């Protein structure tokens, strides 16, 4: 009789699956939240690679957009034409690289692994002569891993493009984003609540500005390190000067690890030509890195986001392990964007607290 009475007291239209017990309903909500969190994490892991490609396209778009804005300061022409000029300039550089230096660099790239292995064997022999016990297979495994770390770079330079599909996707999406960035920005804003859109546009603008300045600094550092390394090595007659200059320039995009890896390759190739040449390559490495670290980077960092070296290195290690070379290249820009987002969030909360305090004081 009581069951019939309870059923009569329930609201009309109540779903049969409704949980009447408040405590049980609370536990069900908790279970749903945890299921959603776990499902979101699994989905993020599953689509992490495509998301990384999209982020790489944003980085490429910021490079193109930065070049177009720079041209805009001297060429009063529509933005579309400035973007086309930037793309044609990049295409012309790639054509020059393949047409005039491709065959030589390709041969040098093919010889580089053999030279590294040879120098690694000599290093094992020298360390053993000093009385240290070194396991040769383990040391050779380390050398192999080092070479695999720049395998994509050397293959790309030599004409055998590693990850060609990924590069094409990043380039195509980046070009689309660079031509009409406002369309995609408004598209994302429309998916947000109306009261959040103004803040989103402000955060996106700040992120775009930071990304452009960060990429401009990277490009300046890459050009400086690549050109000066090539010129100084070629002047002394170091083998593979052009290849080492290009590798050094490309790896300059990766703070900390890039310079170290480029220096190891440079010194190994230098010692293949004798002790004097090896010492000279060490001098060149420290000269270029010292000028870049104490002159260029501080000047650029004043106008970009300032990231702690330990934080960047940790992000590079994690992204490199998870996503390989692509993750290693994009770790620094991703950390910069995360920092901008967190700073904007802190500013919002601070502004909200100040407004609440003013309202309380006024009352």
């Amino acid at each position: 009789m009581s069951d019939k009475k309870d059923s009569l007291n329930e609201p009309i239209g109540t779903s049969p699956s409704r949980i009447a017990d408040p405590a049980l309903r609370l536990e069900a909500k908790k279970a749903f939240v945890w299921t959603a969190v776990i499902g979101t994490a699994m989905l993020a892991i599953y689509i992490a690679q495509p998301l990384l490609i999209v982020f790489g396209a944003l980085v490429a778009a910021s490079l193109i957009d930065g070049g177009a804005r720079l041209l805009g300061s001297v060429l009063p022409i529509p933005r579309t034409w400035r973007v086309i000029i930037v793309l044609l300039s990049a295409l012309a550089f790639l054509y020059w690289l393949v047409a005039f230096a491709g065959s030589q660099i390709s041969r040098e790239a093919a010889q580089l692994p053999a030279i590294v292995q040879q120098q690694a064997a000599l290093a094992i022999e020298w360390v053993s002569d000093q009385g240290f016990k070194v396991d040769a297979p383990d040391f050779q495994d380390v050398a192999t891993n080092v070479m695999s770390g720049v395998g994509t770079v050397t293959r790309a330079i030599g004409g055998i493009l590693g990850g060609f599909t990924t590069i094409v996707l990043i380039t195509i999406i980046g070009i689309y984003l660079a031509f009409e960035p406002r369309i995609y920005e408004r598209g994302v804003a429309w998916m947000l609540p109306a009261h959040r859109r103004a803040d989103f546009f402000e955060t996106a603008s700040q992120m775009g500005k930071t990304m452009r300045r960060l990429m401009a600094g990277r490009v300046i550092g890459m050009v400086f390190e690549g050109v000066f390394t090539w010129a100084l090595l070629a002047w002394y007659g170091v083998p593979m000067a052009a290849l080492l200059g290009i590798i050094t320039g490309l790896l300059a995009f990766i703070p900390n690890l890039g310079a170290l890896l480029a220096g190891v390759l440079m010194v190994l190739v230098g010692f293949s030509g004798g002790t004097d040449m090896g010492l000279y390559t060490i001098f060149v490495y420290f000269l270029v890195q010292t000028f870049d670290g104490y002159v260029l980077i501080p000047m650029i960092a004043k106008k970009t986001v300032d990231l702690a070296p330990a934080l960047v290195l940790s992000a590079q290690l994690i992204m490199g392990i998870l996503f390989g070379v692509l993750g290693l290249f994009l770790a620094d820009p991703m950390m910069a964007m995360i920092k901008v987002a967190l700073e904007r969030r802190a500013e919002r909360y601070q502004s909200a607290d100040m407004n609440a305090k003013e309202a309380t004081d006024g009352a």
Side-chain angles (χ1 to χ4, degrees):
M1 187 71 180
S2 61
D3 294 341
K4 184 177 180 181
K5 183 178 180 181
D6 292 340
S7 64
L8 292 175
N9 292 331
E10 289 184 1
I12 299 176
T14 301
S15 171
S17 61
R18 180 179 181 273
I19 302 174
D21 188 356
L24 188 58
R25 188 162 59 245
L26 178 61
E27 294 300 324
K29 289 181 179 179
K30 291 180 180 179
F32 174 78
V33 170
W34 278 109
T35 303
V37 169
I38 295 173
T40 303
M42 293 179 64
L43 179 63
I45 294 173
Y46 183 74
I47 64 174
Q49 193 71 25
L51 289 177
L52 197 64
I53 292 176
V54 173
F55 182 75
L58 291 174
V59 174
S62 68
L63 282 169
I64 300 172
D65 184 53
R69 288 171 181 265
L70 185 63
L71 284 177
S73 60
V74 294
L75 290 177
I77 58 177
R79 184 179 182 280
T80 301
W81 288 108
R82 286 184 273 124
V83 171
I84 292 175
I85 292 174
V86 171
L87 294 175
L88 291 177
S89 300
L91 188 62
F93 171 76
L94 292 176
Y95 174 78
W96 172 85
L97 187 63
V98 173
F100 295 96
S103 59
Q104 176 186 353
I105 294 174
S106 179
R107 289 193 300 269
E108 293 178 353
Q111 297 171 3
L112 182 59
I115 291 179
V116 172
Q117 293 290 342
Q118 179 184 2
Q119 294 305 308
L122 292 176
I124 293 174
E125 182 179 354
W126 180 84
V127 171
S128 299
D129 292 341
Q130 306 305 313
F132 295 96
K133 184 179 179 181
V134 180
D135 191 357
D138 292 342
F139 195 88
Q140 290 176 356
D141 289 341
V142 173
T144 302
N145 291 333
V146 171
M147 286 309 301
S148 65
V150 292
T152 302
V153 177
T154 55
R155 286 195 299 270
I157 295 172
I160 309 175
L161 294 176
F164 181 75
T165 304
T166 300
I167 295 174
V168 170
L169 284 174
I170 289 176
T171 303
I172 293 175
I173 298 174
I175 291 174
Y176 278 121
L177 292 174
F179 269 110
E180 293 290 345
R182 296 298 180 185
I183 292 179
Y184 305 100
E185 190 177 277
R186 288 196 298 267
V188 175
W190 287 338
M191 294 187 291
L192 299 175
H195 66 280
R196 295 285 186 183
R197 292 174 185 174
D199 183 71
F200 166 76
F201 282 120
E202 180 64 26
T203 302
S205 176
Q206 187 64 34
M207 283 184 170
K209 184 185 298 184
T210 301
M211 181 69 80
R212 287 191 299 271
R213 291 178 174 179
L214 184 65
M215 291 301 101
R218 289 287 181 270
V219 171
I220 293 173
M222 291 169 66
V223 171
F224 167 79
E225 292 192 24
V227 170
F228 275 81
T229 299
W230 165 76
L232 293 174
L233 295 181
W235 175 78
Y236 196 82
V238 177
M240 305 182 182
L243 176 63
L244 291 174
I246 293 177
I247 290 178
T248 301
L250 291 176
L251 292 178
F253 191 87
I254 310 175
N256 305 322
L257 293 179
L260 180 61
L261 188 57
V264 170
L265 294 176
M266 188 189 310
V267 172
L268 288 175
V269 174
F271 275 102
S272 67
T275 304
D276 293 341
M277 184 176 291
L279 295 176
Y280 177 75
T281 56
I282 294 176
F283 166 75
V284 171
Y285 170 75
F286 279 106
L287 177 65
V288 173
Q289 295 302 324
T290 299
F291 185 84
D292 184 63
Y294 287 95
V295 178
L296 283 182
I297 291 181
M299 292 173 58
I300 296 170
K302 292 179 181 179
K303 297 183 178 298
T304 60
V305 61
D306 188 17
L307 294 174
L311 181 63
V312 174
L313 184 58
S314 300
Q316 288 171 348
L317 293 176
I318 294 173
M319 294 290 290
I321 292 173
L322 292 177
F323 306 107
V325 177
L326 182 61
L328 196 63
F329 270 79
L330 297 179
D332 188 35
M334 184 172 293
M335 291 304 300
M337 296 300 97
I338 292 175
K339 182 176 181 182
V340 171
L342 293 177
E343 288 176 346
R344 286 287 305 152
R345 185 180 180 87
E347 290 175 2
R348 289 199 306 270
Y349 282 129
Q350 185 178 6
S351 177
D353 292 341
M354 291 179 62
N355 293 335
K357 184 178 179 181
E358 291 176 358
T360 304
D361 294 341

